[in-house]
Amino acid sequence: MADYISVTVLNKLAKQVLEACEPLNSLVVCGEISNFTRHYKSGHLYFTLKDDSAAVKTVMFRDKARLLRFAPQNGMMVLAYGHVTIYERDGAFQFYADYLRPFGAGAAQMAFDALKQKLEKEALFAPEHKRPLPPMPRCIGIVTSKTGAALQDVRNVLQRRWPLVRLLLAPVSVQGIEAEDSIVSGIRTLDADSRPDLILVTRGGGSKEDLWVFNSEKIARTVYACHKPVVSAVGHEIDYTILDYVADLRAPTPSAAAELCVPDQQQIREEICNLGKNIQKNIQYSLQVCYNTFRSVRPAETLRGIQAALDARQRNLSACAEQMRLAKGHLLRSKFSELGAAANLAASLNPYAILSRGYAMVEDSAGNCVTVPQLKAGDCITLRSSNALAQCTVDTVILPEADRKHEESTKNL
């Protein structure tokens, strides 16, 4: 009897063979969407990709589906990026999509119109949100490919029109699957940098598929959230993207964007020259008016009137000066009198002044001033006069009669 395998093993072997085939692990399949279903619980997308002769069941898991920039619909032609394998339980050959992109004019326009309508309802294109560009920017942040022709075009125009401005480049990828996140990161980096006065997002011309990344909802919302003005210059004059609608200013080409971002140095020179000529003319006109006015009056009478006014003001000034001098003298005499009275009062309260008249102060052994009733026989005291000291010992303290009786009664107690 021949060897056999189970259906489970068969499906598993078939899956291993398909997954080991390198060409089947990185595919881009073009087809029309049919039987489209979005699972309401899991969020996974289930649909069929078909052409005129064949069809393949396709699955897109929720974590990939939530990154889509358009709403897939039946009948839409798409490019599906992913790989193929077998679903072991049913033995079903399936394509697992990681990324979808509209293909063909009809599908791309449908996705473009749907996103444009959605963002327009949210007022992302509202004119009142548009910010004016600075008239003379010192630094321009540019989001583009460092190897693209757009960067060189912008540099050439800026050097010719306004060489004072500096360029701060955020090099990004402007085409391919990774372009969206790269552009978003570049815009956010320049918006957080304090140096740029505005941000220019640009790339050269290309097919609609090449420019499709600039229809990204994520890029549009990033530009809308910017604090700095954003200028869009993608492709040629006939190319319009979602970025053009949400940006503060849309330019038809990178070169035109550079012209719109900075003034023309030659024009500024001419304006300054004209302004100088106008100032000179105004000064000459004013001098002529003053000269004619001066000639129209009689100088002698005018001078006499001026002299009379000056004499009156001189007399008024002299009177004020005399009043100030008198007031100053009165104030000084009053303050000297107050100072003398205060000095006499201070002198009368000075105990050392009393000592100069022959009196003496009594100090105990600790140097404290004491009175005679505080002393007792045997105390060592110091008599301090104005110019000498005397060390003494108390033999006897003689108190008045009343004080002596009070002291004896206290001792008896």
Side-chain angles (χ1 to χ4, degrees), residues 5 26 31 34 71 227 234 241 257 292 344 410:
I5 59 174
S26 181
S34 64
H227 298 90
V234 177
T241 65
N292 293 336
N344 292 334
T410 302

Side-chain angles (χ1 to χ4, degrees), residues 78-153:
V78 295
L79 293 178
Y81 298 73
H83 63 280
V84 294
T85 187
I86 285 181
Y87 184 45
E88 291 185 40
R89 190 192 69 182
D90 299 335
F93 177 82
Q94 293 187 136
F95 182 80
Y96 288 83
D98 298 325
Y99 178 72
L100 293 180
R101 180 173 163 186
F103 181 77
Q109 189 62 42
M110 187 185 303
F112 179 87
D113 293 340
L115 179 59
K116 181 174 179 288
Q117 185 177 11
K118 173 185 175 181
L119 298 182
E120 194 169 14
K121 287 182 179 180
E122 297 182 28
L124 265 69
F125 309 153
E128 56 269 19
H129 182 71
K130 306 295 184 183
R131 292 154 295 195
L133 303 186
M136 293 183 181
R138 293 171 296 179
C139 179
I140 296 177
I142 180 168
V143 180
T144 191
S145 170
K146 64 180 179 180
T147 59
L151 177 60
Q152 192 59 44
D153 291 344

Side-chain angles (χ1 to χ4, degrees), residues 4 97 131 133 155 193 206 272 277 316 336 380 399 406 409:
Y4 64 90
R131 292 154 295 195
L133 303 186
R155 280 177 173 166
D193 197 308
I272 293 175
K277 292 178 180 179
N316 187 30
F336 274 124
C380 293
L399 299 175
H406 176 71
S409 63

